[in-house]
């Protein structure tokens, strides 16, 4: 078993060494750029797969955001869906007719078409998508700090439970904000369970021509791809920086990191803020792409879905996380359908898609047994998980002595 | 016995050298006054007053459980002292956060090695420099010329520090280094923050006599070349007696003796604490 794995690993390493690093990067980039055209050539009706791919791009952004919190800084966050929700609602507020009475019913328009198809003024706030993504990222970053701050003293299981609760609270707050938010005012922020719909389509800032998805998917694919590339760039730069080192130091040993001059509060809050910002970033994209912002989207299961991408792909490794996101997203869309006949055949009558999170859980278990470091692990994670195989000798109290220190963060 | 005599001789010259410097710089670098730490009903450190002069090498000794490490932790902000005050370089650092204490110029190592195990030696030292680096998040993302230069200089300085402590394998992961090298790496990492005072918690534990001797020389170089004061917790009496110009002895959380190595060695209370009462 382990020899097979070892052979596979050496083969994979040889394969990656076949070409220099930049060549791989350019190759993947070219593939991503040509992808819609390739689909056109290969498939009679490419739209379904292209649609799945566009959703996947958004999941990649979220998985990369969660990877900063979980993979780099080591803070287990089970409520990541909260930031998807906040980002999506920002798009709902700033790009729909949700607030029809602003500026006397004439609406606010920033770099978006002013007139509706019928020639009358569009009511509501309409801000260009490319501005909203950054507004939403900043707004969710602030909420990342607000929700992260109370959890700073927690570790491991306790942190997971509190973040899980936040992931549940945030969608409920939106759901109940039909007459003011937090009991302030009487504005309808969410339409309750109905959600906000329709959402403005993306338009380039210099034209009034909006994109025509879901009829025409290519332009929105390229917007999504551009966002992914920006996020990958951002992640790589941060990983190799002073902050990236501090994240890993905090993950490894909080006490030592603090004693080396790392401000634990600031370092962790940056992880929360940037992770949250990327969740909001993707949330805006999904809101306009799905044409709706609906609290039903923001379930606990979604947090687990994204977390599974991070874990299965390889925590802490950017390419691994991307692979995990692609694999799980496409499996969720196509793999489950393939398996759907299986329960009937063996005489069980239930809908397999209804237990899809159970299936992800099963995958997680299988991964934990066979390859706990994920498909493409970060070098560090792999070492951590296989440490016992490498040396067991001088492992002197790295975990157990945590309670000996009352590391103060306030 | 002749060993100990030599030790006394070395330390007295060290004390003389330090005395002259002391006169120049005018005195105390760190002063902990009436420091106590109580855990529930246990008084771990009881009303200890303690000084480290500029460019001094001073030691804190005592039997196991005497409260030495607790005292260290109180000074570096890992514990909040129950009572008492810690002044460092004219600033009050009592109960300050550990990262602020480090920023003020106190760096430390740990008794049970606490390296960042999955980072390379050089990355460990770079984390040690964290407080001295100034790049901001926007700068890191845009990788401005300033950030580039700072990172390059940090790497160079990290290599220089690793050479200084005698570590050759700079790109090896901390966890795969041999024990003695891990100890050295901890010192290099602590030096990364440009400290004025270095706190070493049992640095020679697990080292062979030759390595201990190298470490002793390293401490003297730190003082003579870099002007760094050293506060040492140590069980290896040979190292302590050779290197220290002042020794403080703790037992059951209380200061039972202090003075030059010679005075301490002859103090009956110290002998009693270590060997038990003769009566």
């Amino acid at each position: 078993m382990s020899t097979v794995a070892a052979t596979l690993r050496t083969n994979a390493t040889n394969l990656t060494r076949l070409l220099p690093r930049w060549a791989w990067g350019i190759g993947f980039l070219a593939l991503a750029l040509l992808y819609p055209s390739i689909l056109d050539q290969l498939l009679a009706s490419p739209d379904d797969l292209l649609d799945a791919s566009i959703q996947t791009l958004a999941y990649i952004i979220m998985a990369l955001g969660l990877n900063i919190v979980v993979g780099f800084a080591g803070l287990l966050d089970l409520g990541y869906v909260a930031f998807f929700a906040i980002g999506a609602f920002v798009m709902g507020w700033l790009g729909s007719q949700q607030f029809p009475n602003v500026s006397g019913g004439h609406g606010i328009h920033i770099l978006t078409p002013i007139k509706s198809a019928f020639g009358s003024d569009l009511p509501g706030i309409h801000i260009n998508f490319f501005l909203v993504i950054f507004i939403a990222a900043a707004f969710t970053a602030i909420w990342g700090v607000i929700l992260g701050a109370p959890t700073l003293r927690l570790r491991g299981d306790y942190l997971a439970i509190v973040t899980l609760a936040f992931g549940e609270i945030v969608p409920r707050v939106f759901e109940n904000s039909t007459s003011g938010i937090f009991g302030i005012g009487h504005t309808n922020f969410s339409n309750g369970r109905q959600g906000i719909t329709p959402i403005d389509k993306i338009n380039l800032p210099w034209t009034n021509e909006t994109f025509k998805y879901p009829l025409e998917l290519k332009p929105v694919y390229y917007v999504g791809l551009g966002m992914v590339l920006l996020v990958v760039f951002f992640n790589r730069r941060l990983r190799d920086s002073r902050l990236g080192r501090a994240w890993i130091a905090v993950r490894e040993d909080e006490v030592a990191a603090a004693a080396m001059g790392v401000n634990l509060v600031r370092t962790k809050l940056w992880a929360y803020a940037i992770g949250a910002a990327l969740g909001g970033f993707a949330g805006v994209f999904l809101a306009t792409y799905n044409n709706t912002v609906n609290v039903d989207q923001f379930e606990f299961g979604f947090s687990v879905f994204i977390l599974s991408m991070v874990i299965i792909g390889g925590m802490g490794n950017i390419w691994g996380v991307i692979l995990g996101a692609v694999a799980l997203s496409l499996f969720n869309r196509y793999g489950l359908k393939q398996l759907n006949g299986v329960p009937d055949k063996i005489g069980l009558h239930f809908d397999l898609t209804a237990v899809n999170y159970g299936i992800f859980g099963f995958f997680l278990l299988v991964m934990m047994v066979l390859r706990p470091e994920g498909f493409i692990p970060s070098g560090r994670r792999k070492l951590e998980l296989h440490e016992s195989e490498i040396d067991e000798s001088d492992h002197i109290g790295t975990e157990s002595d945590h309670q000996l220190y009352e590391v103060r963060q306030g | 016995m002749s060993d100990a005599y030599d030790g006394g001789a070395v330390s007295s010259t060290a004390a003389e050298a330090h005395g002259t410097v002391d006169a120049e710089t005018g005195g105390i670098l760190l002063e902990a006054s009436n420091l106590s730490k109580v855990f529930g009903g246990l008084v771990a450190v009881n009303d200890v007053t303690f000084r480290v002069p500029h460019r001094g090498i001073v030691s804190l000794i005592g039997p196991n459980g005497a409260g030495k490490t607790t005292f260290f932790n109180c000074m570096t902000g890992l514990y909040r002292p129950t009572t008492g005050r810690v002044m460092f370089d004219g600033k009050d650092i009592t109960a300050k956060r550990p990262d602020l204490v480090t920023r003020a110029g106190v760096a430390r190592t740990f008794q049970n090695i606490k390296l960042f195990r999955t980072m390379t030696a050089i990355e460990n030292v770079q984390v040690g420099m964290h407080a001295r680096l100034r790049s901001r998040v926007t700068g890191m993302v845009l990788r401005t010329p300033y950030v580039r230069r700072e990172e390059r200089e940090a790497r160079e300085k990290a290599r220089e520090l690793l050479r200084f402590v005698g570590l050759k394998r700079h790109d090896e992961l901390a966890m795969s280094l041999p024990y003695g090298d891990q100890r050295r790496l901890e010192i290099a990492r602590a030096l990364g923050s440009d400290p004025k005072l270095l706190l070493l918690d049992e640095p020679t534990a697990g080292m062979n006599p030759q390595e201990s001797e190298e470490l002793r020389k390293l401490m003297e170089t730190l003082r003579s070349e870099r002007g760094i004061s050293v506060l040492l917790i140590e069980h290896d009496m040979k190292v302590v007696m050779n290197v220290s110009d002042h020794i403080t002895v703790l037992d059951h959380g209380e200061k039972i003796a202090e003075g030059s190595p010679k005075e301490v060695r002859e103090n009956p209370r110290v002998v009693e604490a270590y060997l038990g009462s003769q009566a």
Side-chain angles (χ1 to χ4, degrees):
Chain A
M1 179 65 226
S2 62
T3 47
V4 176
T7 332
L8 279 176
R9 208 168 293 157
T10 25
N11 283 346
T13 347
N14 290 343
L15 197 67
T16 46
R17 287 202 186 128
L18 211 62
L19 289 170
R21 273 206 138 168
W22 56 267
W24 280 104
I26 289 177
F28 279 119
L29 184 61
L31 187 68
L33 286 172
L34 296 174
Y35 179 73
S37 316
I38 297 171
L39 287 188
D40 272 346
Q41 298 295 317
L42 294 179
L43 301 173
S45 56
D47 273 11
D48 189 49
L49 184 52
L50 195 55
D51 169 52
S53 309
I54 292 165
Q55 304 269 1
T56 304
L57 291 175
Y59 297 153
I60 290 175
I61 296 173
M62 289 198 217
L64 286 172
L66 188 59
N67 182 43
I68 289 181
V69 183
V70 179
F72 291 167
L75 305 160
L76 182 54
D77 186 345
L78 287 182
Y80 195 63
V81 73
F83 305 119
F84 170 27
I86 295 170
F89 268 103
V90 169
M91 184 65 204
W93 296 331
L94 301 183
S96 78
Q97 301 186 18
Q98 181 63 21
F99 307 118
N101 301 325
V102 292
S103 108
H106 293 291
I108 298 170
H109 306 266
I110 299 174
L111 298 172
T112 49
I114 294 168
K115 304 280 183 191
S116 72
F118 307 107
S120 56
D121 282 359
L122 273 176
I125 305 171
H126 301 276
I127 297 174
N128 189 286
F129 171 82
F130 295 97
L131 294 174
V132 177
I133 46 177
F134 294 107
I135 296 169
F139 187 70
T140 39
I142 293 166
W143 276 99
V145 171
I146 293 171
L147 297 186
T151 70
L152 288 174
R153 288 156 182 274
L154 304 174
R155 266 185 256 262
D157 310 355
Y158 304 99
L159 177 65
I161 290 166
V162 173
T163 53
L164 186 154
F166 281 136
E168 289 297 303
I169 290 167
V170 169
R172 295 292 85 75
V173 167
F174 283 126
E175 185 183 340
N176 292 304
S177 299
T178 48
S179 178
I181 200 160
F182 300 126
I184 305 162
H186 298 284
T187 320
N188 179 0
F189 282 98
S190 69
N191 297 343
R193 296 205 71 81
Q194 270 178 297
I196 302 173
T197 187
I199 308 290
D200 289 357
K201 299 268 182 277
I202 298 170
N203 73 299
L204 297 172
W206 53 88
T207 95
N208 273 344
E209 197 83 4
T210 54
F211 289 7
K212 292 183 182 57
Y213 50 89
L215 295 175
E216 200 188 329
L217 294 177
K218 275 188 194 172
V220 73
Y221 171 84
Y222 287 114
V223 170
L225 183 63
M227 288 167 70
V228 168
L229 292 177
L230 187 67
V231 168
V232 170
F233 170 81
F234 199 73
N235 264 29
R236 285 179 56 108
R237 282 285 166 90
L238 286 177
R239 182 194 60 190
D240 301 331
S241 71
R242 167 174 175 251
L243 184 59
R245 286 194 299 267
W247 281 334
I248 294 165
V250 168
R251 193 187 77 200
E252 288 262 319
D253 193 326
E254 269 188 23
V255 172
M260 291 309 124
V262 174
N263 183 333
L264 295 180
V265 172
R266 187 176 292 192
T267 305
K268 288 182 178 180
L269 285 183
W270 268 116
Y272 279 122
I274 294 171
L278 297 186
F281 205 58
V284 171
F285 181 75
L286 277 184
T288 171
Y289 184 67
N290 292 331
N291 200 25
T292 177
V293 179
N294 190 312
V295 284
D296 288 339
Q297 299 165 295
F298 312 130
E299 288 180 337
F300 169 63
F302 192 84
S303 299
V304 175
F305 185 46
I306 301 292
L307 185 64
S308 309
M309 293 173 182
V310 175
I311 293 171
I312 289 180
M315 240 190 272
N317 182 308
I318 292 171
W319 308 118
V321 168
I322 293 175
L323 180 70
V326 171
L328 272 196
S329 157
L330 294 183
F331 176 80
N332 191 36
R333 176 86 165 230
Y334 297 108
L336 281 176
K337 275 188 208 155
Q338 301 297 318
L339 291 175
N340 225 351
V342 175
D344 270 339
K345 272 179 206 153
I346 56 171
L348 296 168
H349 302 287
F350 66 95
D351 183 7
L352 206 65
T353 48
V355 293
N356 57 346
Y357 293 117
I359 295 172
F360 291 142
F362 176 71
F363 281 154
L364 278 181
L365 272 179
V366 172
M367 283 303 280
M368 288 307 108
V369 174
L370 293 180
R371 198 172 162 82
E373 63 269 28
F375 288 144
I376 310 180
S378 80
R380 297 182 206 288
R381 276 286 172 178
K382 197 157 123 190
L383 283 163
E384 269 166 31
L385 290 161
H386 292 282
E387 204 170 353
S388 56
E389 295 162 29
I390 298 167
D391 76 318
E392 290 179 326
S393 52
D394 46 26
H395 195 96
I396 303 169
T398 45
E399 277 308 316
S400 58
D401 61 354
H402 269 314
Q403 61 263 37
L404 289 180
Y405 298 96
E406 24 178 75
V407 175
R408 290 168 302 103
Q409 317 196 315
Chain B
M1 197 58 225
S2 73
D3 245 21
Y5 177 76
D6 286 349
V10 168
S11 80
S12 68
T13 52
E16 280 162 29
H18 142 250
T20 53
V21 176
D22 205 350
E24 283 168 28
T25 49
I28 305 299
L29 180 62
L30 178 127
E31 179 169 32
S33 24
N34 308 100
L35 206 69
S36 297
K37 176 67 186 175
V38 181
F39 294 106
L42 177 77
V43 184
V45 176
N46 189 5
D47 201 30
V48 173
T49 296
F50 185 84
R51 287 190 187 85
V52 182
H54 275 283
R55 293 175 80 105
I57 298 181
V58 299
S59 294
L60 193 59
I61 63 170
N64 287 326
K68 306 183 295 289
T69 298
T70 306
F71 186 67
F72 251 43
N73 288 341
C74 286
M75 286 193 292
T76 51
L78 291 178
Y79 290 160
R80 185 188 293 272
T82 313
T83 58
R85 207 162 68 126
V86 186
M87 296 290 290
F88 176 75
D89 210 15
K91 284 177 293 248
D92 189 346
I93 57 163
T94 319
K96 283 264 192 306
R97 280 201 325 258
D99 55 298
L100 296 178
V101 173
T102 306
R103 205 171 276 270
V106 183
R108 70 171 290 174
T109 67
F110 292 89
Q111 183 179 0
N112 43 3
I113 298 176
K114 279 175 149 330
L115 289 168
F116 307 120
R117 299 167 61 80
T118 63
M119 300 178 101
T120 61
I122 197 160
E123 284 172 328
N124 266 279
V125 184
Q126 280 176 296
V127 174
M129 291 177 195
H130 188 89
R132 301 288 170 243
L133 303 178
R134 294 175 179 283
S135 45
R136 312 247 122 226
V137 172
T138 42
M140 296 175 207
V141 172
L142 300 174
R143 204 163 282 173
T144 54
Y146 176 82
V147 173
R148 270 170 211 272
R149 196 182 63 234
E150 186 182 78
E151 284 288 297
R152 197 179 54 238
E153 285 169 1
R155 271 194 304 277
E156 280 163 16
K157 192 181 150 200
R159 287 193 192 282
E160 187 249 299
L161 284 173
L162 287 172
R163 277 194 294 272
F164 178 72
V165 298
L167 200 79
K168 289 180 191 73
R169 297 188 277 181
H170 297 185
D171 295 305
E172 195 143 334
L173 293 171
M175 56 184 272
S176 52
L177 289 171
Y179 192 79
D181 282 354
Q182 293 195 4
R183 287 260 177 235
R184 280 180 232 266
L185 178 54
E186 269 220 321
I187 295 172
R189 183 178 69 172
L191 291 174
S193 64
D194 288 332
K196 293 184 188 121
L197 173 64
L198 184 62
L199 274 56
L200 301 175
D201 197 346
E202 293 197 28
T204 69
M207 283 187 170
N208 62 34
Q210 189 205 335
E211 286 174 323
S212 300
E213 175 58 20
E214 282 169 20
L215 189 80
R216 187 187 66 74
K217 282 184 190 142
L218 185 75
M219 283 189 264
E220 303 211 319
T221 323
L222 276 177
R223 165 163 67 184
S224 58
E225 286 182 10
R226 302 188 177 223
I228 297 174
S229 306
V230 178
L231 167 52
L232 182 69
I233 291 181
E234 187 52 69
H235 277 303
D236 185 334
M237 283 306 140
K238 190 162 170 250
V239 174
V240 171
M241 295 298 167
N242 275 334
V243 81
S244 320
D245 25 73
H246 193 88
I247 298 174
T248 302
V249 190
L250 290 187
D251 189 24
H252 298 300
E254 284 178 48
K255 184 163 79 177
I256 57 167
E258 64 181 328
S260 72
K262 193 162 178 291
E263 287 161 11
V264 164
R265 196 166 40 222
E266 288 163 1
N267 186 314
R269 284 196 69 187
V270 178
V271 176
E272 188 186 308
Y274 270 93
L275 303 177
S277 161
Q278 284 166 341

